[in-house]
Amino acid sequence: MTEKTLIDARGSFCPGPLMELIAQLKSAEVGDEFEVLSSDKGSANDIPEWVEKAGHELVESREDKGVWHITVKKKR
Amino acid sequence: MRILIIGGGMGGTILANNLARRLSSEIKAGKVNLTMLSASEKHFYQPGLLYLAVGQMMPDELYREQVSLLEPGIAFHVDPVTEFHLDENQVKTQSDRTYDYDVLVIATGSRVNMEEIPGLAENAEMFYTEEGALKMLKSLREFEGGRVVVCVGVPHKCPMAPLEITFMMHDFFKERGILDKVELYYTYPIGRIHSLENVAKWATPEFDQLGIKYETFFNMKEVDGDNKILRSEEGAEVNYDLLVTIPAHKGMEVVESQGLGKDGWVPIDRLRLNMEGRDNVFAIGDTTNLPISKAGSTAHFEAEALGENIASMVKIGQPVRDYDGKVFCFIEAGKDRATYASFDYLNPPDPKPPTRAVHWFKVAYNQLYWASARGLL
Ligand SMILES: Cc1cc2nc3c(=O)[nH]c(=O)nc-3n(C[C@H](O)[C@H](O)[C@H](O)COP(=O)(O)OP(=O)(O)OC[C@H]3O[C@@H](n4cnc5c(N)ncnc54)[C@H](O)[C@@H]3O)c2cc1C
C-alpha cells in the first residue's frame, strides 16, 4: 500500500519546500506520494524541475488561493 | 508551577534567563520552580567552528561554564534526559531521577548524520565538531592544489555555512598563495546555490566573479574514496582532491527513539511553538520540525517569544504573542567582508553587497554572544 504524505511548507522560505520534499523522499519507499503545500511561488517551478532531473514523477501541480499543491511520486 | 527546560544550548539558555528575569518575584516566593537539565557542564558557541576551521578562532574561545551564564533562580543539573513520559508530565534522566513538570520545553538541538551517505564520514572534511574543524584546518594547510568539492546535505543547521565556508576557503587559499592551483567546486541540493532565493541571487555573481564553479540539483548519494569520486542522487559524478561537507542533520537520538518526532524533529505549532496535540510541551531551536533555518538566531527569537508567553501564562493565564518566524543570519563573504539576511514568515531576506563593517560586527558578535546568552543583548 502506498500512502500520500502531506508536507505543509506554507510560509517557509528556508530551507524551502523543495528541500523538505527531498529530505522526505530519501527516507520514503518507491511508489510513495507526497503532496507539498507551498505559499512560495518559486516552488511551482523548482519542484517540477528537480523531479524531472531526479527521475521522479510529477502527479499534479495546482494553485488554490495562493497555495500551490504539488504531488510527487517517488519512482526510484 | 514547575517549568522544566531540557537543553542548555542557545535556545534553552536564552529562554531560562528570560524566564528567570520575568518571573523573579514568583521564583523568590516559591510559586515558580525553574529547572534546566543539560548534557554538558559547558556551553558551546558552535558558530565559532567555522572560524576554527580556517584558523581564525581557538577552541578555548568557544566554551564557557554553563552555570556562569545562568541567572540566579535557575536550578541547573548536568543530567541528560533518557525518557520522556509526556502523558505523566515526567522525564527520566541518566542518573535515574524523575523530574515532574507543569510546563516542559525541549531544546536539545541537532546532530550531524553522516551515516546515510556511504563513504562520507571516512572521506570528507566536516567542521561541525571541534575535532572535525581542527582536522579540516590541518587538511586546508597541507593542501597543495586541485579540486575542492563542497557538498551539502539537508536539513542542516546554519543555513549560510555552505556559502561561508566556500568564500572563506577561497580567501584562505589566496592568502596561502595557491589560489591559482585550486578549483573550488560547490554543489547544492536545489536548483540554485542557496535555499533562500534572494541569497542565491546575491551569491551567484559573487561566485562568478571569484571563479567559484557550481552545480545545482546535486544531492549526495555516495563517496567512492578510492577513486575520489562523489556521486549524486540525480546520477551525476564529480572528482575531488579535497571533499568538504555540510552534512545532513537529525534531532537528538533520545527525541527520535522516544517517539517524539520523526528523525528527532519535534512537530510544533509554528506560531505558539507547542508540540502538536500538547498544551504544556514546547520545543525551540534546532529540534523543531519547522521548515525554517536551524540557526542560533531562530532559537534566540523563539526563546524570547516563548519566554514572554510562559511568563504571561503564569501571570495572566494566557499567552500574549506569536512567534513570527524571525531569523537573522550573518553571511561571511570571505575573510574580511560580510553581509546578512533578515527574514520572517512573511518577508523574505534581501542581502546587501558585503562590507568590512558587517564582517567586523560579526567578529564582535562572536564575543558579544556571551552577553546575548545571558539575555543582556
Ligand atoms: C559550524 C556552525 C556554524 C554556525 N553558524 C551560525 C551562525 O553564524 N549564526 C547562527 O544563528 N547560527 C549558527 N549556527 C547554528 C547554531 O549554533 C544552532 O542553530 C544553535 O546552537 C541551536 O540552538 P539549540 O538551543 O537548538 O541547540 P544547541 O545550542 O545545540 O543546544 C542543545 C543543548 O541540548 C543539550 N542536550 C542534548 N541532548 C540532551 C539530553 N538528552 N538531555 C538534556 N540536554 C541535552 C546539549 O548539551 C546542549 O546544551 C552554526 C552552527 C554550526 C555547527
Side-chain angles (χ1 to χ4, degrees):
Chain A
M1 258 276 289
T2 59
E3 310 177 353
K4 182 148 131 185
T5 309
L6 200 67
I7 303 175
D8 188 350
R10 282 176 292 179
S12 103
F13 296 107
C14 178
L18 172 59
M19 287 169 113
E20 275 296 299
L21 172 69
I22 295 172
Q24 298 232 13
L25 270 179
K26 271 196 115 158
S27 54
E29 307 278 327
V30 170
D32 283 355
E33 285 193 12
F34 290 84
E35 180 177 345
V36 186
L37 301 191
S38 172
S39 50
D40 174 23
K41 69 172 182 290
S43 308
N45 298 325
D46 274 12
I47 294 179
E49 208 186 319
W50 179 78
V51 166
E52 197 191 330
K53 176 152 184 194
H56 300 299
E57 182 187 327
L58 184 71
V59 179
E60 190 190 29
S61 174
R62 65 185 164 87
E63 194 209 326
D64 185 17
K65 300 185 193 98
V67 177
W68 276 264
H69 297 247
I70 304 163
T71 304
V72 174
K73 188 181 208 166
K74 179 163 168 138
K75 291 295 270 190
R76 56 179 196 89
Chain B
M1 172 178 302
R2 293 157 302 177
I3 303 168
L4 182 60
I5 299 173
I6 313 300
M10 287 202 181
T13 303
I14 292 168
L15 174 66
N17 285 330
N18 186 304
L19 283 171
R21 265 192 288 273
R22 287 178 191 278
L23 297 172
S24 63
S25 53
E26 286 85 352
I27 292 172
K28 277 196 199 102
K31 289 191 192 134
V32 166
N33 175 302
L34 185 54
T35 303
M36 170 183 278
L37 301 178
S38 192
S40 168
E41 73 282 2
K42 295 266 196 276
H43 188 104
F44 180 21
Y45 178 61
Q46 300 167 43
L49 290 169
L50 183 71
Y51 301 86
L52 192 62
V54 292
Q56 290 178 15
M57 277 180 101
M58 289 292 114
D60 58 0
E61 295 175 84
L62 312 186
Y63 298 94
R64 291 275 163 98
E65 293 296 324
Q66 176 66 12
V67 279
S68 75
L69 301 173
L70 295 177
E71 286 282 311
I74 302 166
F76 174 66
H77 307 282
V78 180
D79 195 5
V81 169
T82 50
E83 292 173 32
F84 290 89
H85 299 281
L86 302 184
D87 289 337
E88 287 81 43
N89 292 340
Q90 281 181 341
V91 301
K92 290 225 158 71
T93 61
Q94 201 170 63
S95 70
D96 225 13
R97 285 190 60 183
T98 300
Y99 289 82
D100 296 285
Y101 61 79
D102 299 299
V103 171
L104 177 72
V105 182
I106 305 170
T108 43
S110 57
R111 64 192 160 117
V112 294
N113 169 32
M114 313 258 284
E115 307 87 62
E116 279 161 31
I117 311 290
L120 188 67
E122 302 85 324
N123 296 296
E125 300 296 339
M126 186 278 292
F127 55 94
Y128 274 66
T129 60
E130 181 188 328
E131 191 193 0
L134 291 173
K135 180 173 162 285
M136 176 163 161
L137 173 63
K138 190 162 184 286
S139 299
L140 291 180
R141 288 194 39 87
E142 287 169 0
F143 192 59
E144 285 175 358
R147 183 185 277 170
V148 181
V149 174
V150 177
C151 54
V152 182
V154 285
H156 64 81
K157 70 179 146 192
C158 190
M160 305 307 169
L163 294 174
E164 291 184 295
I165 196 66
T166 306
F167 286 126
M168 287 166 96
M169 285 195 295
H170 174 276
D171 284 11
F172 186 92
F173 293 130
K174 191 173 168 189
E175 269 201 340
R176 278 193 55 210
I178 62 163
L179 192 59
D180 57 333
K181 297 197 196 86
V182 175
E183 181 191 357
L184 282 164
Y185 195 93
Y186 175 97
T187 67
Y188 202 69
I190 65 166
R192 50 181 185 254
I193 67 171
H194 194 264
S195 58
L196 295 158
E197 195 172 356
N198 286 345
V199 173
K201 271 191 194 146
W202 161 77
T204 307
E206 294 277 333
F207 270 19
D208 289 340
Q209 203 191 335
L210 298 175
I212 298 168
K213 303 209 172 94
Y214 43 87
E215 178 169 346
T216 57
F217 285 133
F218 191 104
N219 288 275
M220 286 180 262
K221 184 176 182 194
E222 60 186 13
V223 182
D224 172 353
D226 293 338
N227 298 302
K228 298 200 162 195
I229 295 172
L230 169 68
R231 297 196 178 87
S232 82
E233 291 281 349
E234 292 79 15
E237 283 193 358
V238 51
N239 290 81
Y240 64 84
D241 296 294
L242 183 69
L243 187 62
V244 174
T245 191
I246 287 82
H249 281 61
K250 279 189 172 188
M252 284 305 167
E253 222 267 321
V254 62
V255 176
E256 192 177 2
S257 62
Q258 290 285 299
L260 266 55
K262 189 173 174 290
D263 292 335
W265 309 125
V266 182
I268 62 166
D269 179 89
R270 61 207 278 272
L271 303 175
R272 280 208 56 208
L273 309 176
N274 60 305
M275 185 174 172
E276 278 173 13
R278 310 250 167 203
D279 283 339
N280 68 335
V281 180
F282 299 85
I284 55 173
D286 289 353
T287 196
T288 78
N289 74 333
L290 294 185
I292 60 172
S293 301
K294 297 200 181 296
S297 66
T298 311
H300 185 141
F301 294 123
E302 288 171 345
E304 284 185 346
L306 187 59
E308 226 174 304
N309 282 346
I310 293 178
S312 70
M313 285 192 292
V314 170
K315 289 175 195 282
I316 60 170
Q318 61 175 46
V320 285
R321 62 179 273 211
D322 290 337
Y323 171 61
D324 60 3
K326 188 164 164 62
V327 182
F328 177 98
C329 290
F330 286 103
I331 315 174
E332 289 284 13
K335 72 174 171 46
D336 56 8
R337 296 181 322 138
T339 180
Y340 62 90
S342 176
F343 48 105
D344 58 34
Y345 287 140
L346 299 176
N347 302 290
D350 184 15
K352 302 284 179 287
T355 62
R356 278 171 185 266
V358 178
H359 166 72
W360 288 114
F361 192 69
K362 173 69 195 268
V363 170
Y365 184 80
N366 287 339
Q367 307 303 328
L368 287 172
Y369 170 71
W370 303 109
S372 166
R374 283 190 196 99
L376 304 176
L377 198 73

